[in-house]
Amino acid sequence: MQILRTVAELRQWSREGRRGGKTIGLVPTMGALHAGHASLIRAAKASCGLVAVSVFVNPTQFGPNEDYAVYPRTLDADCALAEAHGANVVFAPAVEELYPTGAATFVEVEGLSNRMDGASRPGHFRGVATVVAKLLIAAEPDRAFFGQKDAAQVAVLRRMVADLRLAAEIVVCPIVREGDGLALSSRNVYLSAEERMQALTLCRVILATETRVAGGERRAGTLIAAVIETFATEPEICVDYVELVNWATLEPVETAIPGSLFAVAAWVGATRLIDNTIIG
Ligand code: AMP
């Protein structure tokens, strides 16, 4: 498996593949790959002739007091995992390759970018949209694969792809969880053993919400209040948001209908975690 470092190399690889009759799949990641990323790579492999995995810790999506400097960087292991799950190339550019000196162009998806995670992480979705636009323009994939884990990100990127008339189809893959339910995240390595236990509250409230909805409860206020009540019994957890929204617009809705997004974000110690469910 090849490691590509420049946009020119990635574009050439993609164009050669397409000339050879292959469809191109792209899996954008920040590395520290785990089984959640692996599921995206396998999904890409199952529907595309050639798969590129990008590994890039994108500085513009981190706030000034966030974990950019300490975010886990494990390129050798990432390449091994990517190859084992069928990737043909890993694209691992230097920061200057995607942000040349003087870079002044950003992609802002207005409105959506200020909701949910965007509300507590100003500039986060601007950074995400910008880097994913750069990756889509560089790789020219037929399909790009993202996790439902970052459901608000999916909404922002769908809007961006539609607005910019980018050719790539956005494919969303289910959340991969540990055996005890915790959603896999590269940030789980930050959790102490005690915090790891506390973090389970996120998946528990998601599961409880699914059960309430299955039992017929559809009122946003009731579903949200029940989750906030559970979080209140865990003083070590600091809730960022509990929301029921329209998945396309990220605007709050009063009633859960099929396709609505119920999502939570909370700090467990210094680590911010997210989880969600799409109402069935
Ligand atoms: P990241 O490296 O955290 O930027 O994530 C790269 C991609 O992997 C994003 O599309 C995430 O939504 C996806 N992803 C992260 N964790 C999971 C998970 N537990 N299950 C499924 N997809 C995930």
Side-chain angles (χ1 to χ4, degrees), residues 32-48:
L33 300 186
H34 52 60
H37 300 112
S39 75
L40 304 189
I41 299 169
R42 284 198 305 275
K45 195 66 188 175
S47 79
C48 301

Side-chain angles (χ1 to χ4, degrees), residues 208-220 222-223 254-257 279-280:
T209 301
E210 288 172 346
T211 306
R212 279 182 203 108
V213 171
E217 182 57 69
R218 300 267 154 176
R219 292 166 297 176
T222 310
L223 294 169
E254 287 295 316
T255 309
I257 59 165
I279 304 298

Side-chain angles (χ1 to χ4, degrees), residues 4 6-15 52 89 91 135 138-139:
L4 309 179
T6 68
V7 166
E9 286 171 327
L10 179 62
R11 185 170 289 141
Q12 190 190 353
W13 170 82
S14 167
R15 288 184 180 179
V89 296
F91 176 54
L135 292 169

Side-chain angles (χ1 to χ4, degrees), residues 27-37 39-40 54 56 61 71 145-151 153-154 157 173-177 182-187:
V27 181
T29 82
M30 295 208 299
L33 300 186
H34 52 60
H37 300 112
S39 75
L40 304 189
S54 63
F56 180 67
Q61 72 187 70
Y71 196 85
F145 295 78
F146 298 89
Q148 182 199 311
K149 161 93 186 328
D150 296 271
Q153 167 173 289
V154 166
L157 295 178
C173 301
I175 301 175
V176 176
R177 299 177 178 282
L182 183 67
L184 288 174
S185 163
S186 304
R187 291 192 166 96

